[in-house]
């Protein structure tokens, strides 16, 4: 059904062809609806203005507003290094404003002697305050003196700005659109749900999101719109998962037989951790339920996921089913194969391994045995899915360290017209629970949150540059004990602005501080040829070097048990999940391992919080939750890995965890009564569910 909001934005008064093209290319706004659903990302509170002298270093990194007069302005530097410096003052004091981008455009808009309201995050250097890229508005402009205390700030770009489509320009367009658009806004949620959840109507919400009449109404508007989005997503996910479980076509692994029992009694070299036992129970319950299992197993590196997989595969074999275990790389596949062979020796279970480098003759033999039911467990790379290797009766697929959601979907393709195998996906990338609920909404989630006993937790320290000498002394003592050390830098080349230590600088200074012949230093970075990188890695592992200087690109697969110290330079520049991944490179041997986070003396509140959390905990899940709260979901590894995208304009899968849980409960309640949303009373919800179907990456879109 065509609606007024589907019309091209160019027909709106004040837009026209040229600006419409800009809106489309810069912000993806093509229709009037796109504009209506383009919400401010922040609001200016016009009631709170700080005297400059009252702003303290405590407020570094948080938004503040000042009202000040321009005293002078000057442009420094040339070309790309050009910047605009503006001195402003109020009755209490003065401060400096800086622009690195759009200097020319800003310069023209700021008049010396005139008063403006500036909004931005203050920074402090040697007690002196400055604000980089503040937003501003003349105090004479009607908006700045107007009664509406809250004013929306829209994302905009320099290009849009120069076409008079800065945040104010967009605000004017939405204002022009509203009187006509409001008539066409219809409710998308049933009344009972709105009443039960205390939600305001959709029209009210859209009005207040653009033109908040009060802080309270703005909050109600945000809540209502976020709920609608998350509720739509959960309805979509849960109804699909209900359809899957309703099929009841899962293989039954009811027997616990010879393979499992003998392995348990004779082979298992250690007591399982409580977490491993719990997860095995969960898998057992799934595989006798009559439904097909789709389970995501999360557990930090070293938590013993492989053993859980092996036990599950033995039970499959006890029930006469074949299993396959897929690893992301050939090396990992071979490693799994070797350890499984060793652990199952003498049990009579038949294990084979096929990877890209398996010879043709050998490959033929394996494929034939597989089809003939003479192999119980096949280990290989993800390529096994691509090739659609034929099994005689595949009952369980285990995918290790998956990096794309699509892998799991493809696994279901396997026996398209027959019964689908159970699927267990294992990952060491911690994904916060509420995020996993959405991204892997159709999967049950198991968590191993306990490491096998006897592991020494890595000790983490936060040290400022002032302690460098002491840190170097510590490295020398560790090296004297025969250990190896990583020193990681965030960037390869010196960045003018951020003044980061570059890898090359670092390599030079470390080579100077750790001289030959006692110390041997090697550098590894992303711009090296892969062969050279691999060789350096191999030589480091073999002990030819005691220090590896690297950028953050150190291979994920690097496993050097003798390396016991990870030094991370400029650690405040890294995100939490990256810091955790880097720290995971040590602590792989029997020795006590250490992680030293080097940082500048001055840290923003957020950076300090991040680094202190690293010092306090080794728990990847705690860190992932914190990361998500600090940064939102966009940057979380799992979000990108999943490749799924939801059309969310206001909700954030990271920050809105509580609301996700609520939306999920409400959606679950509705689906319990009407699993297919087929009753006429649920027509609105069916539309909502379709509206929030995830966009699956192209290459998987034909897979359901
Ligand atoms: P990951 O979860 O990273 O895949 P692995 O399964 O490779 O971890 O296990 C890491 C190491 O810990 C292996 O050497 C494995 O044999 C060992 N391990 C697994 N479970 C236990 C346990 N319950 N007690 C002691 N060691 C264990
Ligand atoms: Mg593993």
């Amino acid at each position: 059904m065509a609606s007024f909001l589907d019309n091209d934005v160019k027909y709106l008064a004040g837009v026209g062809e040229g600006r419409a093209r800009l809106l489309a290319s810069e912000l993806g706004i093509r229709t009037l609806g796109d504009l209506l659903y383009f919400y401010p990302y922040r609001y200016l509170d016009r009631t709170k203005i700080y005297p400059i002298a009252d702003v303290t270093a405590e407020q570094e990194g948080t938004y503040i507003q000042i009202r000040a007069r321009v005293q002078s302005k000057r442009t420094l530097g040339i070309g790309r290094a050009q910047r605009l410096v503006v001195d402003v003052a109020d009755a209490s004091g003065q401060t400096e404003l800086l622009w690195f981008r759009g200097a020319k455009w800003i310069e023209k808009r700021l008049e010396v002697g005139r008063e403006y309201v500036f909004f931005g995050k203050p920074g402090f250097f040697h007690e002196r305050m400055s604000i980089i890229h503040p937003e501003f508005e003349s105090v004479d402009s009607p908006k700045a003196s107007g009664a509406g205390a809250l004013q929306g700030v829209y994302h905009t770009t320099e290009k849009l700005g120069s076409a008079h489509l800065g945040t104010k320009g967009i605000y004017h367009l939405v204002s022009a659109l509203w009187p006509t658009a409001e008539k066409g806004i219809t409710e998308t949620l049933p009344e009972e749900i709105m009443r039960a959840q205390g939600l305001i109507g959709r029209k009210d919400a859209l009005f207040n999101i653009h033109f908040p009449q009060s802080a309270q109404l703005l909050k109600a508007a945000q809540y209502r719109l976020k709920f609608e989005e998350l509720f739509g997503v959960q309805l979509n996910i849960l109804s699909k998962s209900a359809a899957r479980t309703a099929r009841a076509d899962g293989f039954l692994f009811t027997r616990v037989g010879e393979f499992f029992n003998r392995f348990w009694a004779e082979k298992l070299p250690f007591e399982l951790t409580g977490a491993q036992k719990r997860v095995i129970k969960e898998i057992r319950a799934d595989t006798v339920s009559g439904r097909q299992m789709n389970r995501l197993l999360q557990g930090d590196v070293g938590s013993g996921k492989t053993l859980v997989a092996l036990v599950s595969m033995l039970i499959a074999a006890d029930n006469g089913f074949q299993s396959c275990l897929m690893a992301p790389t050939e090396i990992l596949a071979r490693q799994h194969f070797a350890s499984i062979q060793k652990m199952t020796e003498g049990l009579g279970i038949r294990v084979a391994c096929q990877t890209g480098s398996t010879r043709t003759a050998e490959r033929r033999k394996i494929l034939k045995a597989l089809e003939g039911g003479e192999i119980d467990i096949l280990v290989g790379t993800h390529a096994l899915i691509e090739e659609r290797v034929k099994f005689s009766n595949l009952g369980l697929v285990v995918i290790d360290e998956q990096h794309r959601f699509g892998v799991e979907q493809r696994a279901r393709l396997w026996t398209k017209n027959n019964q689908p195998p159970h699927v267990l996906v294992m990952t060491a990338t911690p994904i916060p629970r509420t995020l996993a609920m959405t991204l892997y909404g159709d999967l049950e989630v198991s968590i191993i949150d306990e490491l096998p006993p006897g592991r020494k937790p890595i000790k983490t320290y936060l040290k400022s540059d002032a302690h460098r000498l002491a840190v170097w002394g510590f490295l020398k003592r560790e090296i004297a004990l025969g250990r190896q050390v990583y020193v990681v830098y965030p960037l390869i080349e010196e960045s003018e602005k951020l003044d980061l230590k570059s890898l090359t600088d670092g390599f030079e200074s470390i080579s100077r501080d750790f001289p030959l012949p006692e110390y041997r230093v090697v550098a590894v970075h992303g711009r090296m040829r892969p062969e050279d990188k691999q060789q350096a890695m191999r030589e480091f592992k073999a002990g030819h070097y005691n220090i590896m200087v690297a950028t953050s690109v150190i291979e994920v697969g690097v496993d050097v048990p003798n390396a016991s110290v990870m030094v991370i330079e400029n650690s405040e520049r890294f995100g939490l999940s990256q810091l955790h991944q880097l720290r995971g490179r040590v602590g792989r041997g029997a020795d006590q391992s250490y992680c030293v986070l080097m940082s500048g003396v001055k840290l923003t509140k957020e950076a300090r919080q991040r680094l202190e959390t690293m010092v306090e905990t080794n728990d990847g899940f705690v860190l992932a939750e914190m990361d998500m709260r600090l940064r939102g979901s966009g940057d979380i590894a799992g979000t990108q890995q999943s490749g799924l995208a939801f059309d969310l304009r206001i909700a954030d899968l990271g920050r809105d965890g509580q609301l996700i849980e609520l939306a999920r409960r409400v959606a679950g309640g509705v689906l319990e009564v009407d699993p297919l949303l087929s009753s006429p009373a649920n027509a609105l919800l069916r539309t909502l569910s379709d509206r929030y179907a995830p966009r699956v990456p192209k290459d998987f879109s034909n897979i359901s």
Side-chain angles (χ1 to χ4, degrees), residues 462-466 468 501 568-573 597-604 607-608 611:
L462 176 56
K463 295 284 170 191
S464 78
D465 287 326
R468 185 167 296 279
K501 287 208 176 49
I568 305 176
E569 295 284 352
N570 294 105
S571 57
E572 69 270 27
R573 303 275 180 219
L597 306 170
M598 299 299 295
S599 75
V601 182
K602 274 247 163 204
L603 290 175
T604 63
R608 179 164 298 282
L611 297 177

Side-chain angles (χ1 to χ4, degrees), residues 163-176:
H164 300 288
L165 287 176
T167 175
K168 261 190 290 175
I170 293 175
Y171 175 87
H172 288 312
L173 291 188
V174 181
S175 308

Side-chain angles (χ1 to χ4, degrees), residues 584-639:
R585 300 296 105 212
V586 295
R588 303 180 150 236
D591 303 316
Q592 175 63 54
S593 289
Y594 306 89
C595 175
V596 185
L597 306 170
M598 299 299 295
S599 75
V601 182
K602 274 247 163 204
L603 290 175
T604 63
K605 229 196 235 165
E606 196 205 293
R608 179 164 298 282
Q609 198 182 0
R610 218 168 38 222
L611 297 177
E612 281 170 357
T613 311
M614 279 293 293
V615 172
E616 276 159 28
T617 183
N618 274 305
D619 185 329
F621 287 96
V622 173
L623 292 168
E625 292 278 354
M626 167 75 101
D627 203 21
M628 202 169 66
R629 273 206 302 278
L630 292 175
R631 297 195 302 168
S633 67
D635 292 326
I636 303 290
T639 315

Side-chain angles (χ1 to χ4, degrees), residues 355-376:
T355 67
S357 64
T358 307
R359 300 252 163 93
T360 316
E362 169 79 3
R363 187 188 211 86
R364 281 212 194 101
K365 222 171 79 190
I366 291 176
L367 291 179
K368 191 150 170 277
L370 202 61
E371 270 200 85
E374 291 150 34
I375 288 174
D376 302 303

